Amino acid sequence: MKVRSCKGNALSTGVSACPYDRDKIIFAIVVAHGVKLPADITGDTIEELCHADRPERIMPIGQFVEYAKNGGEPNVAAVGYGPNQVSDVSALTDAFTMGTFNDVLAQSLSRTMNTIFDVYFVDKNNVIYGMDDGSDSLAGFPMACVYPTITQFPTSGAKATLLINFCYQDARKAFENTNFEQLDFNASSFMYGLTPVKFHKVEANKYKIVEAIGGLDRTAEFGDIIAKTPTAVLKGNSTGVTYDEDTETITISASATPQLKSPAELYKAGIKGIEQAV
């Protein structure tokens, strides 16, 4: 027969020679289940991974301005007239409030609320939290779901709000294996959540590039670089691409409405923070 042991049951009560005073969480980094951040994390790596092709892409969410813990408490009960015993830890959901309402994030999370993700957290001191899985790099916390709580219109005393809820697959395992690393850069400066955009036709062969939700005109930001590198950023065979700074329109000769290439290709061309709406 195979022999078992209780190696994990030894109690350790020491403290670090330089205890870290944990600060408030301001960002989450969502990744596909099983995807991990590299062991050597740099700002440039974070920025590039924000634009990577799926499933390697990371999806930052923030900034958070409030936190509430729901659950994650020991289940304690007695059996008969015996003493109290702990059976397990209750289901845990960490809820973070966004600083501003975000329509893109609210709608996207509503569509993916039952998708299993792994999640890292980053605090105000650029410390990143994840799980020790025995390897050289942190793993994300496995989440059974990540879902939004949406109050999309203001009340008499508060603005529209968006809460992001992270439901742990195993709260006890998360508590017992949490680890953290100090980053040597300002993480928030390299976090790019991608905003869906599309080409809006204003007249024959003339377009503006606008946000898919709300229609905000982004042509002034990206028109010139699209005109200068059309083959690098546009799908298909688009010709005669020019940008008119006065009218803030892009001229594109194409048989169908133009579409942008993948965020990874856009990033190589110098375009950050957007993706083609689907």
Side-chain angles (χ1 to χ4, degrees):
M1 63 181 299
K2 292 186 177 180
V3 179
R4 67 185 182 89
S5 66
C6 283
K7 290 181 179 179
N9 288 359
L11 178 66
S12 299
T13 60
V15 297
S16 170
C18 181
Y20 174 63
D21 185 12
R22 295 190 179 191
D23 213 327
K24 297 176 180 66
I25 298 297
I26 59 171
F27 267 98
I29 298 176
V30 179
V31 298
H33 183 52
V35 172
K36 295 174 63 176
L37 293 175
D40 184 19
I41 306 173
T42 67
D44 289 339
T45 300
I46 291 289
E47 186 177 274
E48 184 174 358
L49 288 174
C50 287
H51 298 84
D53 293 330
R54 302 178 194 276
E56 288 77 17
R57 184 182 304 172
I58 67 174
M59 294 151 283
I61 300 176
Q63 290 192 12
F64 302 136
V65 296
E66 188 56 279
Y67 164 67
K69 174 177 176 279
N70 300 303
E73 306 298 336
N75 294 323
V76 181
V79 178
Y81 46 77
N84 278 339
Q85 299 181 57
V86 180
S87 60
D88 206 343
V89 174
S90 66
L92 170 64
T93 297
D94 280 341
F96 293 91
T97 303
M98 294 287 293
T100 57
F101 190 85
N102 183 329
D103 289 281
V104 172
L105 182 59
Q107 293 185 23
S108 183
L109 282 176
S110 184
R111 297 186 188 102
T112 62
M113 63 171 62
N114 285 315
T115 302
I116 297 174
F117 291 111
D118 292 349
V119 176
Y120 300 83
F121 296 105
V122 181
D123 74 11
K124 291 175 68 175
N125 289 328
N126 296 304
V127 170
I128 186 168
Y129 298 84
M131 287 183 63
D132 185 349
D133 65 352
S135 69
D136 292 333
S137 60
L138 286 178
F141 295 103
M143 299 292 170
C145 59
V146 179
Y147 71 92
T149 300
I150 302 168
T151 305
Q152 64 178 354
F153 302 116
T155 67
S156 59
K159 292 184 175 182
T161 57
L162 177 61
L163 277 69
I164 314 301
N165 303 275
F166 300 91
C167 305
Y168 290 75
Q169 282 192 350
D170 189 327
R172 183 174 177 180
K173 187 175 182 180
F175 290 152
E176 293 176 359
N177 294 279
T178 295
N179 207 342
F180 56 88
E181 295 179 5
Q182 176 71 63
L183 303 177
D184 59 1
F185 58 92
N186 183 7
S188 62
S189 298
F190 297 91
M191 301 280 199
Y192 284 86
L194 302 186
T195 301
V197 298
K198 61 183 180 180
F199 285 94
H200 172 68
K201 192 177 210 178
V202 291
E203 57 181 276
N205 294 332
K206 293 187 181 296
Y207 298 87
K208 285 183 174 290
I209 189 163
V210 302
E211 292 183 3
I213 300 175
L216 180 66
D217 189 354
R218 306 289 296 273
T219 315
E221 296 174 66
F222 305 113
D224 188 56
I225 193 167
I226 289 173
K228 289 178 178 177
T229 58
T231 57
V233 301
L234 296 177
K235 292 181 179 179
N237 185 24
S238 299
T239 60
V241 182
T242 59
Y243 173 61
D244 188 327
E245 187 174 342
D246 294 330
T247 61
E248 294 184 356
T249 57
I250 307 169
T251 299
I252 304 175
S253 298
S255 58
T257 301
Q259 289 199 329
L260 295 170
K261 288 187 175 180
S262 71
E265 295 298 320
L266 298 182
Y267 182 73
K268 293 176 185 177
I271 295 177
K272 304 175 184 179
I274 60 173
E275 63 179 335
Q276 176 67 48
V278 294

